[in-house]
Amino acid sequence: IDGPIHGWTAHACSLDTLAYFLYEHQTTPVVFLLDRAEIGPRALGHRSILMAPFAEENKATINRMKGREAFRPVAPMCLVESAATYFDPGTADPYMLFDHRVREEYRRTLPAILHEDGTARLQTVSYQHSPELHELLSTYGALSGVPILCNTSANKNGCGFFPDVRSAMEWGKVDHIWANGFLYSKEDQ
């Protein structure tokens, strides 16, 4: 960002610190902007809204923010090496192309990512595909016991991805935006 944005503060924030923030603020969404935006039908990490998967209300929060119907599912982002623990089949699925059944023993733990039929549209994250997201999920998993976050595209409903921090701020639906090593927060937060 060129210059300060009125009403927002910025602090240096590593991926490990962001993982801790998401862990400590279980019902707080964070817009996540990494490097350049992706092009294509899926938010695969560079332009995402991330949130803890443990509270059922988090699905409703994300859907309200995005202007979507309440029944719309929210996708899980999970370390590829841990996916088979939580999902069946839990095979590598970096482009969110298939539904995976959430294993019965984790359905109560992960209500924010659960479809009504017990499935989820999983995005697996490998170190080779995205070392940054892999680090974030690894640290989050060490803190929470589960290397999974809610993930949905960081955009206005029906529009393209946020190109920069300013556009996410102007959207006005979140209080926290992480971008390339900085956490931007509304001043009243």
Side-chain angles (χ1 to χ4, degrees), residues 70-91:
F71 64 84
R72 294 279 300 270
V74 174
M77 177 187 285
C78 180
L79 292 175
V80 68
E81 60 267 29
S82 301
T85 300
Y86 302 96
F87 304 94
D88 179 25
T91 53

Side-chain angles (χ1 to χ4, degrees), residues 25 51 182:
H25 300 89
M51 202 171 188
F182 287 89

Side-chain angles (χ1 to χ4, degrees), residues 17-125:
T17 302
L18 177 60
Y20 184 78
F21 180 89
L22 288 163
Y23 175 69
E24 286 291 307
H25 300 89
Q26 294 283 317
T27 58
T28 301
V30 175
V31 168
F32 182 84
L33 308 176
L34 180 64
D35 299 329
R36 300 176 71 128
E38 301 142 326
I39 296 185
R42 303 278 188 259
L44 301 175
H46 285 211
R47 296 293 185 272
S48 290
I49 299 170
L50 303 178
M51 202 171 188
F54 306 118
E56 189 167 353
E57 70 191 68
N58 288 0
K59 183 189 319 186
T61 297
I62 289 173
N63 283 332
R64 264 193 317 276
M65 289 170 45
K66 299 274 299 199
R68 300 188 305 204
E69 300 85 2
F71 64 84
R72 294 279 300 270
V74 174
M77 177 187 285
C78 180
L79 292 175
V80 68
E81 60 267 29
S82 301
T85 300
Y86 302 96
F87 304 94
D88 179 25
T91 53
D93 194 352
Y95 301 107
M96 303 167 68
L97 297 177
F98 306 102
D99 284 341
H100 295 250
R101 186 153 301 285
V102 178
R103 294 194 182 276
E104 187 70 39
E105 61 268 32
Y106 294 106
R107 291 184 184 174
R108 288 188 181 188
T109 305
L110 303 169
I113 56 96
L114 191 63
H115 297 182
E116 287 190 23
D117 66 357
T119 63
R121 199 178 81 211
L122 172 65
Q123 178 194 358
T124 57
V125 176

Side-chain angles (χ1 to χ4, degrees), residues 120-170:
R121 199 178 81 211
L122 172 65
Q123 178 194 358
T124 57
V125 176
S126 68
Y127 181 82
Q128 294 76 17
H129 185 258
S130 178
E132 299 89 356
L133 286 173
H134 193 274
E135 178 183 343
L136 177 65
L137 287 168
S138 294
T139 302
Y140 187 80
L143 292 166
S144 70
V146 178
I148 296 172
L149 286 168
C150 294
N151 173 35
T152 194
S153 56
N155 66 321
K156 293 180 189 177
N157 195 13
C159 298
F161 296 126
F162 296 129
D164 53 29
V165 173
R166 187 178 299 275
S167 63
M169 289 174 175
E170 290 170 352

